[in-house]
Amino acid sequence: MTIQTRATPRGRSRRVLAAVGDGLLTVAAVLGSVCIVLVIAAAVFDVRIVLFSTGSMSPTIPAGSAALVRTIPAEDIGVGDVVTVEREGRLPITHRVVSVDPSETSSAARSIVMRGDANDVDDPAPYDVSEVGLTVFSVPGVAPMLASAGSPWGLGS
C-alpha cells in the first residue's frame, strides 16, 4: 500500500528557505576560502591588493579595478612593466615603466620614469626605487566591493 502525501504550502516554503540558507552558506564558505588563500598568498609570495580610484591606467586598468601586486627588487624592473611605487607622505602610484636607468644612490636601486596609459606625458620626475610592486593581474569593477568590505558593516558581516 502506497501512501501519498501532498506538499503543503508550509512544507514548500520551508524547503525554499532551506535551499536559500544552504546557498548563502555555500557563498560564505567560498568567500572565506578565497580570503584564506589570499592571506596565505600574501605571506608566502609577498603580494597585496591595490585598488584603483583614478583612470590614469585606462583602458588597461580602469578606475574601480583591483590589482594583485607582487614585490620585486629594482634590478628586475623592465620597460613596459606596470608597477606600484611607494611615495613618502603620499599615496602610492601605479603606472607603466617607460625607462629604467641605474640610480646614483645605490647599485641595487634604479631610477625609473613612468606614465599612466591614459596620460599624454610622463610623470613629472623619475622615481629612485630599490623595490616596486609588479602588477600580476587586475580585475575591473571590484574595488568598491573590496573597499566596502573594510567598513564596519563589511567587517561585521
Side-chain angles (χ1 to χ4, degrees), residues 12-106:
R12 273 182 270 167
S13 65
R14 284 185 181 162
R15 283 195 304 267
V16 169
L17 285 175
V20 169
D22 289 346
L24 290 174
L25 285 174
T26 301
V27 169
V30 168
L31 290 175
S33 298
V34 168
C35 288
I36 290 169
V37 167
L38 289 176
V39 167
I40 292 170
V44 173
F45 300 111
D46 196 15
V47 296
R48 66 182 192 272
I49 295 174
V50 173
L51 306 180
F52 290 79
S53 58
T54 69
S56 68
M57 281 302 296
S58 290
T60 308
I61 306 173
S65 297
L68 187 68
V69 175
R70 179 176 52 94
T71 303
I72 63 168
E75 298 94 19
D76 296 342
I77 300 170
V79 171
D81 289 344
V82 176
V83 300
T84 300
V85 173
E86 298 293 330
R87 303 183 296 172
E88 183 84 26
R90 298 170 66 193
L91 290 173
I93 188 165
T94 303
H95 282 165
R96 190 173 304 279
V97 175
V98 295
S99 74
V100 180
D101 292 309
S103 175
E104 296 175 9
T105 59
S106 162

